[in-house]
Amino acid sequence: MLTADTVKELAREVGFDLCGVAPAEAFPELRFLDDWLERGYAGEMGYMARTARRRDDVRRVVPAARSVVALGTVYNTERRYSTEVDDPDAALISRYAWGEDYHDVLGRRMEKLLERMRSAAGEPFEARCYVDTGPVQERVYAQYAGLGWIGKNTCLIHPEKGSWLFLSEIITSLPLAADAPQLDQCGTCTLCLEACPTDAFREPWVLDATRCLSYLTIELRGPIPEERRSEVGTHVYGCDICQDVCPYNAAPARSADPAWQPVPALDNPRLADLWRQPDKSLGGLLKRSAMSRAKLPGLRRNVAVALGNSGTTESAAALAEPATPETASRAEPLVTEHIAWARRQGAPRPKSKRS
Ligand code: SF4
Ligand code: SF4
């Protein structure tokens, strides 16, 4: 009979930093999704509403489920936080997207873990692996599995390792011993809520995704609403601010895993360099990284807005360059409209510290 302790040992062997077990139950927190959707906070993420019923209990995706093996992987690397970057020519990209695509890497690791679990169990059982893409409310199960608590910034926070964690899970018919859930340790802190540049938190734990830079630069397919563009700053893919300021990320765990080390093109890139990259190499970069969710025109759109917000002579020079056959995506209507907006953002300012 496979025990929870053996699963945890096997999880460590294949490279997971955290592993806990939650019972496969319909926890009350899973129902908050309905209210969140009703308030329109999902914006154009229609798949959230379409899969809402499946998301309220893992037994809807694995009817025989008894346990959820929740897995955490630290992706934090030895680099400055976005809140410490004071170069207006620097492109800000969410920390999780700097290395290899975590869906692929963690998918392979989970398959390996499952293989070892099957050999150790010596009897058949049902199991299904998810890395961020399935209809599973990962953070709720991770909290009940003792991996951390859901902070006011809606991220899962481990008391020592912080919140730079990829979450994934194996939903299984195995009746494994469950861990104790983690208790909230945010206390009276409100740093994340105050630091958000778009005021996206309607209240603690409630994020209006339509205001969040992660939504605007990743999920949104069309134009970024004009009234939001200045708030984008120099973010070109996602935003980390509400995690950067979290006290539990002041001395977080760091990963030496080669998979999460920044690839050279995403290691503190300059806006102008990203802008000048030919479509072929930029498209290749997207494909190999976790940034693939943003398509090429979407990334060009974001970089155009960031160049406009940057306002330096270097950015203005890049914006003034015409599209070439190698950078044809810059001539797409979605992008040209954002270029026109960016060029209107006033005269170039000399390079200086961000205000
Ligand atoms: S990711 Fe950025 S924009 Fe989104 S809620 Fe956090 S601080 Fe606000
Ligand atoms: S910044 Fe403070 S309130 Fe926000 S998640 Fe971290 S501890 Fe919680």
Side-chain angles (χ1 to χ4, degrees):
M1 180 75 163
L2 189 59
T3 65
D5 284 344
T6 306
V7 172
K8 288 173 194 173
E9 206 180 302
L10 296 174
R12 258 194 307 275
E13 277 174 26
V14 303
F16 290 102
D17 298 303
L18 298 169
C19 177
V21 176
E25 287 176 18
F27 299 112
E29 291 86 344
L30 296 165
R31 305 296 306 187
F32 295 163
L33 179 64
D34 289 340
D35 181 50
W36 185 77
L37 287 167
E38 259 167 44
R39 290 162 85 170
Y41 292 159
E44 289 180 10
M45 294 185 286
Y47 61 90
M48 294 292 288
R50 283 195 298 279
T51 57
R53 280 294 59 78
R54 300 180 78 207
R55 286 174 193 268
D56 61 18
D57 187 338
V58 287
R59 289 169 294 189
R60 293 195 196 273
V61 287
V62 181
R66 302 280 300 277
S67 312
V68 178
V69 177
L71 300 155
T73 306
V74 174
Y75 62 79
N76 183 37
T77 50
E78 189 81 49
R79 294 291 186 282
R80 284 179 303 170
Y81 284 174
S82 69
T83 45
E84 297 165 330
V85 175
D86 61 6
D87 179 358
D89 285 311
L92 300 179
I93 296 172
S94 262
R95 191 161 280 266
Y96 76 87
W98 297 346
E100 289 179 42
D101 189 339
Y102 63 95
H103 301 96
D104 300 339
V105 177
L106 297 181
R108 287 194 296 272
R109 287 182 190 172
M110 280 205 295
E111 287 305 328
K112 201 190 273 185
L113 171 58
L114 194 49
E115 231 170 74
R116 294 190 186 189
M117 283 168 62
R118 291 200 190 284
S119 326
E123 57 184 355
F125 61 87
E126 277 187 50
R128 216 156 152 182
C129 302
Y130 284 103
V131 192
D132 195 23
T133 44
V136 179
Q137 295 196 56
E138 303 187 300
R139 284 167 295 180
V140 174
Y141 286 97
Q143 175 162 352
Y144 275 92
L147 262 53
W149 73 96
I150 300 173
K152 290 177 191 172
N153 62 3
T154 74
C155 298
L156 189 94
I157 306 172
H158 182 276
E160 283 97 43
K161 295 190 187 300
S163 68
W164 309 110
L165 295 167
F166 290 128
L167 298 178
S168 53
E169 55 283 321
I170 299 177
I171 305 168
T172 173
S173 58
L174 288 166
L176 300 169
D179 287 282
Q182 263 283 356
L183 298 177
D184 171 41
Q185 295 181 43
C186 281
T188 55
C189 176
T190 52
L191 287 175
C192 55
L193 312 181
E194 288 150 19
C196 175
T198 63
D199 210 11
F201 294 104
R202 302 291 80 196
E203 50 194 276
W205 296 284
V206 181
L207 175 72
D208 177 354
T210 66
R211 299 177 76 100
C212 174
L213 297 185
S214 293
Y215 171 86
L216 293 171
T217 59
I218 302 173
E219 300 291 340
L220 192 66
R221 296 285 170 229
I224 297 175
E226 209 161 318
E227 66 277 14
R228 304 241 81 94
R229 290 183 194 173
S230 60
E231 295 169 347
V232 171
T234 51
H235 292 86
V236 300
Y237 190 89
C239 166
D240 285 338
I241 292 173
C242 55
Q243 294 191 83
D244 288 348
V245 300
C246 179
Y248 291 95
N249 282 337
R254 291 206 171 92
S255 173
D257 191 330
W260 317 132
Q261 304 311 307
V263 298
L266 297 178
D267 196 356
N268 195 18
R270 300 180 77 71
L271 287 168
D273 290 345
L274 275 183
W275 186 244
R276 289 181 178 126
Q277 280 219 29
D279 288 347
K280 207 168 161 197
S281 57
L282 204 53
L285 194 63
L286 287 181
K287 234 184 225 162
R288 289 186 302 275
S289 76
M291 287 167 70
S292 55
R293 204 161 169 79
K295 308 292 172 220
L296 186 56
L299 185 63
R300 288 277 190 214
R301 172 201 66 184
N302 299 344
V303 181
V305 169
L307 285 166
N309 287 330
S310 156
T312 64
T313 41
E314 184 175 314
S315 296
L319 276 170
E321 292 165 7
T324 63
E326 288 71 39
T327 58
S329 66
R330 287 178 3 193
E332 294 208 14
L334 173 72
V335 185
T336 54
E337 188 261 310
H338 288 77
I339 296 173
W341 177 87
R343 285 176 180 157
R344 288 198 302 272
Q345 298 318 295
R349 298 184 288 276
K351 199 167 152 180
S352 65
K353 274 187 102 164
R354 259 162 227 237
S355 53

